[in-house]
Amino acid sequence: MAGFLPNEKVTLEDLLYGSMLPSGAEASIGLAEYVAGSEKGFVKLMNEKAQQLGMKNTHFMNTTGLHHPKHYTTVKDMSLLLQYALTNQEFRNVYTAERYSIKQTTLHPEGITFTSRMFQHMTTSALPGGEIVGGKTGYTDEAGLCLASLAVVK
């Protein structure tokens, strides 16, 4: 959960950051409903895009990444998706953000600040010959710990 409440008025940008940084399922579903009218409609678009990108071993069942027996992917397919997504500058900005704060809303007068789970417990982003600049973590009991990251090699 990112912390958004029912009927809270937020921007699409807030939903993007809420979906990516703290892995807010309610933000992912809100985005899906805005774009396609429903989560089911958006999942259909996700599967169509996966096919267009050549993701041969992927099938989505939800927007949250939560476990479903027919929801699966591979490391190779996720790398294809990430390469495509990083060509969009707005996605890149969200993907590489360490923190983001939404402005105040009627339900959150102080706003909400999201911290990237990718960077939350890292003591350094340095790698031999490079630096980690972004990433998305995930976890389910069935899949365990998951990570898709971006590094700049110098």
Side-chain angles (χ1 to χ4, degrees):
M1 298 289 292
F4 296 119
L5 298 172
N7 301 314
E8 187 166 17
K9 302 275 191 244
V10 297
T11 67
L12 287 174
E13 184 177 39
D14 293 343
L15 289 174
L16 285 169
Y17 280 93
S19 177
M20 292 292 291
L21 273 58
S23 296
E26 83 280 24
S28 297
I29 293 168
L31 285 166
E33 290 173 349
Y34 177 81
V35 171
S38 68
E39 183 179 21
K40 184 177 180 180
F42 193 80
V43 168
K44 182 176 185 280
L45 296 174
M46 291 168 63
N47 284 315
E48 289 170 3
K49 181 56 80 174
Q51 290 304 302
Q52 290 171 7
L53 296 175
M55 297 170 65
K56 295 179 170 73
N57 296 298
T58 294
H59 185 263
F60 298 112
M61 291 299 292
N62 59 58
T63 61
T64 62
L66 294 176
H67 181 73
H68 185 285
K70 295 181 182 176
H71 186 104
Y72 56 86
T73 192
T74 63
V75 171
K76 181 179 178 181
D77 282 1
M78 277 290 106
S79 72
L80 291 171
L81 179 59
L82 183 56
Q83 286 174 24
Y84 170 77
L86 287 169
T87 65
N88 178 289
Q89 189 57 51
E90 184 61 31
F91 175 83
R92 185 179 281 268
N93 292 344
V94 174
Y95 195 73
T96 58
E98 292 189 37
R99 325 174 44 82
Y100 176 81
S101 296
I102 71 166
K103 292 181 172 52
Q104 70 179 48
T105 70
T106 55
L107 300 176
H108 285 99
E110 295 83 34
I112 304 173
T113 297
F114 305 127
T115 304
S116 170
R117 292 187 188 243
M118 173 72 196
F119 296 107
Q120 200 169 13
H121 301 291
M122 289 176 57
T123 55
T124 180
S125 59
L127 295 171
E131 176 183 16
I132 297 172
V133 295
K136 176 73 183 86
T137 62
Y139 175 84
T140 64
D141 286 339
E142 295 81 5
L145 294 168
C146 301
L147 171 66
S149 60
L150 173 65
V152 173
V153 178
K154 300 174 184 179

